[in-house]
Amino acid sequence: MGQDSIVIPFARYPERLIPRRSARVIYQVYPLTFYDSNGDGIGDLPGVTEKLPYIASLGVDTIWLSPIFLSPDGPDGDNGYAPTDRRAVDAKFGTLGDFRRLVREAHALGLMVLSDFVLCHTSDRHPGFLKSVAGETHFADRYVWHPGIPNGEPGLPRLPNNWLTVHNRPAWTWHQDRGAFYLHHFLASQPALNLNREDVQDAVIADMKFWIDQGVDGFRLDAVPFANHDPGFADNPWIDPQAGTQRENQRFAYSMCQPQTVEFLKRMRAQLDDHAAARGQSPPLLLGEVIDGREGGKKPTEVAAEYRNSLDSCYSFLTFWRRYPTSWDLKDMIAYIERHFPDGGHCHTLGNHDFSRFRSRMADLPPAARRQLRILACCLPGDLCLYQGDELDLTDADIPAGLEKDWMGRDPSRSPMSWTNERHAGFSAAEKSYLPVPDWHYFMAVEHQKGGFDSALDFTRRLIGWRQAQPALLAGDIIVIEAPEPMVPILRVSPEQTLLCLFNISNEPAVITPSHFMDRRFLHELRLGIDKKVEIGPYGHLAFGAREPAYATRPLRTPVPQGSPYDLAAE
């Protein structure tokens, strides 16, 4: 067991409950492949609006809308993550009016809307970058420039330092017109903004205020640790000097993960809150992407924790990657997150647009094990983010050669949403779709699953509805208890509810006696007898003290009294 594990041999009722941030269920919409309303083969904002009732039917409370900014087509535009104008909607998605209508109709359904916001860079075709290249007043230092290191020979100077992009290439590109190198942490078409300067920070925050004026409820902030850099441009040290050259072997002491990012986020938080208050709106919700830590990208949760006072929530990586965790893995993971986010504010994700889909990553697991991991993610503290199509258990798509859109190979998880058995699985009526739909995705469409009890869609709706009905899961303390393998007991406690979630992390039945690891107050509140033995099937889960959802498409079971086992994974 790792050194971060917090194990309580005998759980006692906490003397004081720590106030928690309210947890949300966030649904990520990737507009390019969600729903095409006008038959041009590309998903759009009216298409998202048309499908809002479906999103609301899942029981989620928040939408994260991936970028809709005006951006170049092709690889240089990085599908919206290289904006040329952060206040303009790309015409392929619709208009600003379409966006406002989406927000209004989402609010009418009780849904909050988060707009993806590219924080740290723009496109190299952005007017501000072109003015910076030309050295215009007020723009010359809006981006990060460096003359390079003279080498005493004709030709270009040497690179300013050893900083590398996330693609393990030099993070500097020479611009002939400026006669200097510019910094980029991602593609060369994505030059880094000089966010060490307060005037540049204010310009970025002004763009965010523009979207608040359009009614948006908050932002998903892209790549937060890359916001600032060391003004001295020192080399990053190598973790192992004998094995230098790979980005994973650099300690990001100077290129990113800088302490001034904390101050930048404080300024952002204060200005956005004031702006929203002046408009009579609630403070905007800020969800940060923090998937890179200082040690070659490792331990991003430690960096995310530095931003927790300014951001409402951060996700630092996918909750489960490619293997089934052991009980010790789970306890260590929970303890590690709790250490850094003691009052909540961490967002768990099972998938998103940048990674292989959950079903494909966990393809070697039996269905019961995959289902158990989804239940477990719902029982952990913090927000939960669900990526479009994961509620249908969609797999990665095979994209034929010549039809790829993303040069990094992320298209398999970005294939169109499956709605019906019609052309392109109901995503588009066009002759040609933005990305092709695999044959097997037709059989997994919403139309086929919406009436099927215990389909992936039905299970997701029931699971989210169950989570939303449990006060202890939305804002409760967590106690991870020592118990015999393969059991993982998790207690969630709030003033309104005590909830015991038991997980059998094995493919064999298991028996446990709760009184062996919990004090009498817990047993009394959960109505568990001293000699009560609980048997859980392979990859099973039981919850004691659970509340029946006030609404559900179908009940998980016939209604059960408080204190009876609540089996979410029942077939």
Side-chain angles (χ1 to χ4, degrees), residues 13 17 471-473 475-477 492-498:
Y13 201 88
L17 297 178
L473 295 184
D477 276 355
R492 299 296 306 277
V493 184
S494 71
E496 302 87 359
Q497 182 187 29
T498 296

Side-chain angles (χ1 to χ4, degrees), residues 146-468:
H146 195 287
I149 308 300
N151 56 16
E153 301 175 6
L156 295 181
R158 288 187 290 115
L159 293 171
N161 50 39
N162 67 351
W163 297 355
L164 298 171
T165 70
V166 297
H167 312 119
N168 203 44
R169 298 171 182 172
W172 298 94
T173 290
W174 179 260
H175 202 295
Q176 187 64 41
D177 293 343
R178 171 86 180 224
F181 291 97
Y182 66 89
L183 175 67
H184 55 92
H185 295 288
F186 302 93
L187 302 176
S189 62
Q190 296 168 310
L193 286 161
N194 188 1
L195 289 170
N196 287 354
R197 292 176 58 95
E198 288 193 357
D199 60 333
V200 180
Q201 295 178 14
D202 290 340
V204 169
I205 295 170
D207 287 342
M208 299 174 77
K209 291 177 181 177
F210 171 83
W211 290 103
I212 291 177
D213 293 343
Q214 311 312 311
V216 78
D217 299 289
F219 303 91
R220 178 266 187 185
L221 301 176
D222 183 57
V224 178
F226 296 90
N228 299 95
H229 66 281
D230 169 47
F233 299 103
D235 279 347
N236 282 329
W238 299 107
I239 296 172
D240 178 1
Q242 302 303 315
T245 68
Q246 295 296 315
R247 182 177 185 270
E248 292 76 10
N249 192 35
Q250 275 196 358
R251 182 172 290 111
F252 304 142
Y254 303 108
S255 62
M256 52 180 286
C257 300
Q258 296 297 289
Q260 59 264 46
T261 301
V262 176
E263 297 306 314
F264 168 38
L265 294 176
K266 285 182 182 177
R267 295 187 75 243
M268 176 192 296
R269 174 91 267 174
Q271 291 190 37
L272 293 180
D273 285 359
D274 287 347
H275 185 75
R279 292 179 50 83
Q281 297 175 209
S282 299
L285 177 67
L286 300 180
L287 169 66
E289 180 197 33
V290 187
I291 61 172
D292 276 284
R294 291 184 175 86
E295 304 301 309
K298 299 180 180 67
K299 297 186 177 180
T301 301
E302 297 180 5
V303 177
E306 297 174 11
Y307 309 146
R308 55 183 291 275
N309 289 332
S310 297
L311 304 183
D312 296 279
S313 186
C314 292
Y315 70 89
S316 53
F317 211 72
L318 301 181
T319 301
F320 304 110
W321 188 229
R322 292 190 181 276
R323 65 183 179 87
Y324 189 74
T326 67
S327 62
W328 297 118
D329 289 336
L330 290 173
K331 292 172 184 176
D332 283 354
M333 179 187 77
I334 295 168
Y336 182 71
I337 292 172
E338 279 297 291
R339 175 172 298 174
H340 293 93
F341 290 87
D343 67 343
H346 188 268
C347 181
H348 300 279
T349 60
L350 295 175
N352 66 29
H353 63 292
D354 281 331
F355 299 96
S356 177
R357 284 192 176 274
F358 177 78
R359 171 71 182 270
S360 294
R361 293 198 317 275
M362 300 294 184
D364 294 337
L365 296 182
R370 291 198 301 269
R371 188 165 283 201
Q372 185 190 62
L373 292 181
R374 292 178 186 271
I375 297 169
L376 179 62
C378 272
C379 293
L380 296 177
D383 296 337
L384 177 67
C385 189
L386 180 69
Y387 177 52
Q388 70 177 47
D390 280 354
E391 73 274 20
L392 305 177
D393 221 13
L394 293 185
T395 57
D396 287 343
D398 294 327
I399 307 299
L403 297 180
E404 305 95 334
K405 301 293 184 182
D406 181 67
W407 71 278
M408 288 183 63
R410 295 170 292 183
D411 290 329
S413 66
R414 300 176 178 184
S415 62
M417 181 72 173
S418 295
W419 297 103
T420 68
N421 204 31
E422 299 171 337
R423 174 181 286 183
H424 307 307
F427 160 69
S428 174
E431 183 70 25
K432 183 179 180 181
S433 169
Y434 175 78
L435 284 172
V437 179
D439 290 343
W440 62 92
H441 280 200
Y442 287 80
F443 300 100
M444 304 167 78
V446 171
E447 180 182 61
H448 294 301
Q449 294 200 36
K450 66 183 180 182
F453 179 63
D454 213 43
S455 66
L457 176 58
D458 175 74
F459 171 75
T460 301
R461 282 174 168 158
R462 291 184 292 126
L463 177 58
I464 293 174
W466 179 81
R467 171 189 160 104
Q468 302 286 49

Side-chain angles (χ1 to χ4, degrees), residues 127-128 130-142 178 197 199:
L130 300 179
K131 292 178 181 180
S132 188
V133 169
E136 289 190 20
T137 305
H138 305 306
F139 287 91
D141 295 324
R142 287 221 169 180
R178 171 86 180 224
R197 292 176 58 95
D199 60 333

